[in-house]
Amino acid sequence: QSLLTQPPSASGTPGQRVTISCSGSNSNIGPNDVFWYQQLPGTAPRLLIYRNNERPSGVPDRFSGSKSGTSASLAISGLRSEDEADYYCAAWHDSLSAWVFGGGTKLTVL
Amino acid sequence: ELQLEESGGDLVQPGRSLRLSCKASGFGFDDYGMHWVRQAPGKGLEWVAGLSWNSGSIGYAPSVEGRFTISRDNAKNALYLEMNSLRTEDTAFYYCVKDFRLLWSGGLETWGQGTLVTVSS
């Protein structure tokens, strides 16, 4: 059972905007930054969003992150077929002194 | 270019040991904390262990504490994971990951391609 809760699946059509939620607690997301990772089929995860809403160089501005209280969201606008992947949120958990991940959301582009 | 290259994955029997290695290049290895993260086939991500730039601070997931040991050799730009008393549930791809900062609480930044460990009789 993951300490961060994500919907197992999400979908959208090309050009649409989709959001993926990540719900945590006052021990993880509440006091700490949230990170998002994209894992394309058969590849290693890559960093998509860091410190809640920052994008590494090379990540399109179609991807954006936000955080409010003990929850965070990843938004993808102008959805493209190549966005079809698994998406994971992560945060530091204070009382465990460990990194925790969400269970992952499989995004399907219809 | 920053690169992390894992090696050492293999098929091993339950109860046996295995050592994973990660060779880093393209950045100042001794300026950053490092991690191991694993992913069972078809499952989600699980943080395994992390250590600071100088090995002075180390942490483990409860599922591996007491069985796995993370270490590094800054002179060789290498990260290691010694895995003992392996269980079938340890079967996974193991990823070497660079942290944003000196410690291992800054965030999981750059990932290697992973190495597969299969624990089976």
Side-chain angles (χ1 to χ4, degrees):
Chain A
Q1 210 79 330
S2 303
L3 290 172
L4 303 182
T5 301
Q6 297 180 236
S9 64
S11 63
T13 57
Q16 262 192 332
R17 182 178 187 270
V18 298
T19 60
I20 297 172
S21 62
C22 176
S23 178
S25 71
N26 287 319
S27 293
N28 42 60
I29 291 180
N32 299 305
D33 292 328
V34 177
F35 299 76
W36 289 92
Y37 302 91
Q38 178 192 58
Q39 187 174 31
L40 298 170
T43 70
R46 73 152 177 163
L47 180 67
L48 201 61
I49 297 288
Y50 66 101
R51 294 176 200 144
N52 307 316
N53 55 20
E54 301 289 336
R55 276 187 314 276
S57 59
V59 173
D61 59 7
R62 301 185 297 105
F63 294 90
S64 62
S66 64
K67 174 187 147 178
S68 178
T70 59
S71 293
S73 291
L74 172 71
I76 310 171
S77 60
L79 198 62
R80 305 173 76 159
S81 58
E82 58 260 40
D83 298 333
E84 194 160 279
D86 293 324
Y87 293 85
Y88 295 90
C89 59
W92 177 256
H93 191 106
D94 285 345
S95 59
L96 295 176
S97 291
W99 286 94
V100 291
F101 287 93
T105 299
K106 183 175 185 64
L107 175 64
T108 301
V109 181
L110 302 169
Chain B
E1 180 191 0
L2 192 159
Q3 284 194 322
L4 298 168
E5 186 174 356
E6 303 92 339
S7 61
D10 204 350
L11 169 63
V12 294
Q13 293 180 327
R16 308 285 273 190
S17 299
L18 194 65
R19 188 196 202 202
L20 304 183
S21 300
C22 170
K23 177 68 174 171
S25 60
F27 67 102
F29 182 71
D30 53 6
D31 286 333
Y32 295 93
M34 296 293 296
H35 306 261
W36 288 99
V37 176
R38 69 184 180 183
Q39 184 174 35
K43 302 297 184 183
L45 300 172
E46 180 188 16
W47 177 81
V48 173
L51 83 172
S52 62
W53 65 283
N54 63 352
S55 305
S57 175
I58 293 177
Y60 297 95
S63 58
V64 306
E65 182 135 35
R67 298 188 301 123
F68 289 12
T69 301
I70 187 173
S71 63
R72 66 190 296 163
D73 184 337
N74 287 344
K76 295 182 179 179
N77 285 358
L79 178 73
Y80 305 103
L81 186 67
E82 185 75 38
M83 303 184 293
N84 298 319
S85 302
L86 281 162
R87 305 167 180 167
T88 55
E89 55 264 37
D90 295 320
T91 294
F93 286 93
Y94 284 75
Y95 295 101
C96 170
V97 187
K98 171 188 169 295
D99 197 283
F100 276 92
R101 298 176 178 162
L102 285 170
L103 302 180
W104 49 281
S105 53
L108 302 155
E109 184 182 18
T110 309
W111 300 59
Q113 289 305 300
T115 188
L116 179 61
V117 174
T118 303
V119 184
S120 174
S121 54

